[in-house]
């Protein structure tokens, strides 16, 4: 057990010191769930498995499919690198005092290879961030600074689609095409 700030902790260094991958378990404070999951993406190679209790809404976002209103930036970035499985729900009555939210226990297993094409992770993250920044914008408009329209057309993706309609693999293909 290690005490410290989970958002700045170096999980990779700990795994190197131990000589094995980490099993990480926790009941995450709801206000840091998303930033912590993003931080853990950097340390994916040091992780064997993670199991967290999360706010049900976060779990729904992590397990959403393309086209679902809960599908977004967090889904694309995390599920590209981790297989995510919602294990079970935990109602507010399980706590004292009872919170005003429902919880879910979720398991994360790192993928041997991220979903989609091999791409620069920073560019992937930037494209996904910008695509979802204004959800009602079409990909043509949301990704204008990348001059993405010709890449979208070449990939057979309608530039009039919105980000939530693209699969993780399509995002990776798009980033790969933009890089070319």
């Amino acid at each position: 057990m290690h005490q410290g700030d989970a958002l700045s902790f170096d999980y990779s260094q700990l795994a190197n010191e131990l000589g094995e991958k980490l099993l990480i378990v926790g009941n995450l404070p709801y206000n840091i769930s998303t930033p912590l999951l993003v931080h853990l993406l950097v340390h994916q190679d040091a992780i064997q498995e993670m199991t967290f209790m999360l706010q049900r809404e976060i779990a729904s976002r992590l397990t959403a499919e393309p086209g679902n209103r809960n599908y977004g930036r967090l889904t694309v970035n995390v599920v590209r690198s981790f297989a995510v499985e919602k294990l079970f729900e935990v109602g507010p009555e399980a706590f004292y005092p009872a919170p005003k939210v429902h919880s879910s226990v979720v398991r994360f297993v790192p993928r041997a290879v991220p979903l989609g094409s091999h791409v620069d992770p920073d560019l992937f993250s930037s494209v996904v961030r910008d695509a979802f920044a204004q959800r009602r914008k079409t990909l043509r408009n949301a990704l204008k600074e990348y001059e993405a329209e010709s890449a979208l057309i070449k990939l057979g993706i309608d530039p009039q689609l919105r980000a939530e309609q693209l699969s993780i693999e399509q995002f990776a293909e798009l980033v790969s095409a933009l890089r070319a």
Side-chain angles (χ1 to χ4, degrees):
M1 185 176 289
H2 291 267
Q3 183 176 343
D5 181 354
L7 292 172
S8 61
F9 190 80
D10 190 337
Y11 297 90
S12 297
Q13 180 181 339
L14 177 60
N16 286 337
E17 288 171 11
L18 296 173
E20 59 187 0
K21 293 188 175 198
L22 306 176
L23 293 170
I24 303 173
V25 179
N27 179 3
L28 300 187
Y30 297 144
N31 60 332
I32 69 158
S33 296
T34 297
L36 181 57
L37 289 170
V38 170
H39 176 66
L40 288 164
L41 287 173
V42 175
H43 302 282
Q44 174 192 349
D45 292 338
I47 298 168
Q48 178 180 327
E49 185 177 311
M50 305 183 300
T51 303
F52 295 128
M53 183 159 15
L54 304 163
Q55 186 173 356
R56 182 170 61 186
E57 287 74 17
I58 299 289
S60 293
R61 286 172 51 200
L62 289 164
T63 57
E65 296 289 328
N68 182 298
R69 66 179 180 86
N70 289 319
Y71 182 79
R73 177 180 173 192
L74 181 66
T75 315
V76 172
N77 282 310
V78 172
V79 175
R80 180 164 195 266
S81 298
F82 289 89
V84 179
E85 178 186 9
K86 190 186 311 186
L87 300 176
F88 56 90
E89 304 265 324
V90 180
E93 66 281 353
F95 303 94
Y96 182 82
K100 294 181 187 302
V101 297
H102 287 76
S103 302
S104 297
V105 175
V106 181
R107 178 185 345 204
F108 301 80
V109 178
R111 297 181 188 280
V113 177
L115 292 178
S117 307
H118 176 73
V119 294
D120 177 304
D122 292 332
L123 180 59
F124 183 85
S125 182
S126 294
V127 168
V128 170
R129 178 197 65 221
D130 293 345
F132 282 101
Q134 295 179 22
R135 290 182 73 93
R136 298 311 306 154
K137 278 193 171 187
T138 63
L139 291 168
R140 169 185 285 137
N141 293 327
L143 300 175
K144 197 171 268 191
E145 76 174 82
Y146 299 95
E147 299 176 9
E149 187 166 0
S150 61
L152 289 163
I153 292 168
K154 185 188 283 187
L155 294 170
I157 300 170
D158 182 354
Q160 290 298 109
L161 292 176
R162 289 177 170 73
E164 64 267 11
Q165 295 170 288
L166 259 61
S167 69
I168 295 166
E169 293 84 356
Q170 286 174 309
F171 271 110
E173 288 175 11
L174 174 59
V175 171
S176 183
L178 292 174
R179 196 57 145 174

